Amino acid sequence: MRNIALRLAYDGTNYHGWQVQKTDVSVAGTVEKALTQICKEPVKVVGCGRTDAGVHALRYCANFKTGCAIPIDRVPLALNTHLPFDIAASDAVEAPEDFNAILSCEKKEYVYKIVNTRLRDPFLNDRACFYPSPLDYGRMEAAARAFEGTHDFAAVRSVGTDVKSTVRTIYWCEMEREGELFTMRVCANGFLYNMVRAIMGTVVYAGLGKLDPAAIPALLETGDRRLTGPTMPPQGLYMSRVWYPGAVGEMMQKP
């Protein structure tokens, strides 16, 4: 039995998240259907994270096991012939037998995009959060940096998935600016449910002057979700990078 790791990208606008749903269309369900067609056998995929409805992925890793003998270099081409326009496979490698896209992941990076202008851009409608209120970019930079380090992030999570611990390590949380497009880039060893969107909401509150960036460490210590910013809309969020050891890691870090 082969264990194949895939590098995928997708626009999540038309999907009810990554995870297979009973009634709604999901990214995983769509990929499984396509793989089942090319492998001529039922296929189940394991993804590197449960992106929510409307969330996108610039780089996403999934693995599946199969007895199909299709050459590894043909897998992306064959898969793409059965996928819709908004999901694409760009690479595939033979993974170790015990490789698991979510359990083997060492760290992940997400980006969140905000268009800070009074005039809506129709071409970014489903790919960035439109935010017309003026934001102080300098305060947002300071607020983002305040999340770096090892903390209990219960104050920026939504109740949903049960976890043993809400402590995570953020390696970097930084802002980038290109005109009116503000991008937050955050990398951690793991993320809680809605954690990135809540961090972004807190950074936005800092940009609005509703909270002091210097107060963020103390807010995290309280563990109180009511004291931090709102959960931002999903369309601005992208999974951007994932890290693994070995050949899978090399595949995922290619340009």
Side-chain angles (χ1 to χ4, degrees):
M1 186 70 71
R2 303 163 73 195
N3 191 8
I4 296 177
L6 294 169
R7 175 170 161 169
L8 302 168
Y10 56 84
D11 179 334
T13 303
N14 296 321
Y15 301 93
H16 200 78
W18 164 264
Q19 200 72 4
V20 173
Q21 306 289 322
K22 289 183 179 180
T23 57
D24 296 304
V25 178
S26 69
V27 179
T30 304
V31 172
E32 286 183 352
K33 181 179 178 180
L35 286 170
T36 296
Q37 289 177 301
I38 67 172
C39 294
K40 310 300 183 185
E41 63 182 10
V43 171
K44 296 294 181 184
V45 294
V46 176
C48 62
R50 293 189 176 190
T51 57
D52 289 336
V55 175
H56 316 295
L58 302 173
R59 301 186 193 187
Y60 190 94
C61 185
N63 73 288
F64 67 98
K65 295 188 176 182
T66 181
C68 177
I70 183 172
I72 196 67
D73 62 319
R74 301 292 298 175
V75 172
L77 293 170
L79 181 55
N80 286 339
T81 63
H82 294 280
L83 286 173
F85 70 94
D86 47 9
I87 305 174
S90 60
D91 209 342
V93 295
E94 302 279 358
E97 183 181 354
D98 61 350
F99 175 81
N100 180 289
I102 191 165
L103 299 179
S104 302
C105 187
E106 296 175 338
K107 59 184 179 180
K108 303 175 187 175
E109 181 191 72
Y110 284 89
V111 298
Y112 194 98
K113 299 179 180 291
I114 286 181
V115 181
N116 188 214
T117 173
R118 293 179 63 190
L119 301 175
R120 186 184 294 274
D121 184 339
F123 296 104
L124 294 176
N125 186 51
D126 293 318
R127 294 182 176 87
C129 174
F130 171 64
Y131 206 89
S133 300
L135 295 170
D136 185 318
Y137 181 75
R139 289 176 62 89
M140 294 176 73
E141 282 187 303
R145 289 292 188 186
F147 284 98
E148 294 178 342
T150 301
H151 304 282
D152 185 330
F153 287 100
V156 283
R157 65 168 290 202
S158 296
V159 176
T161 306
D162 290 331
V163 292
K164 293 181 179 179
S165 172
T166 50
V167 174
R168 298 290 187 272
T169 298
I170 289 184
Y171 303 110
W172 60 79
C173 187
E174 55 195 21
M175 295 295 300
E176 300 171 357
R177 182 175 187 176
E178 186 176 346
E180 297 164 331
L181 180 64
F182 297 177
T183 301
M184 182 182 74
R185 189 174 300 276
V186 55
C187 176
N189 61 354
F191 291 91
L192 303 168
Y193 183 49
N194 281 342
M195 178 173 157
V196 178
R197 290 161 62 185
I199 289 175
M200 187 75 255
T202 307
V203 169
V204 166
Y205 263 23
L208 291 171
K210 291 186 175 182
L211 61 83
D212 185 346
I216 288 174
L219 293 178
L220 292 178
E221 288 182 9
T222 69
D224 191 340
R225 180 69 186 90
R226 297 169 297 177
L227 300 179
T228 54
T231 300
M232 297 295 285
Q235 68 269 23
L237 183 61
Y238 298 71
M239 181 176 286
S240 52
R241 296 173 72 185
V242 284
W243 283 261
Y244 296 96
V248 178
E250 292 176 7
M251 173 184 71
M252 296 306 300
Q253 295 308 313
K254 289 179 181 177

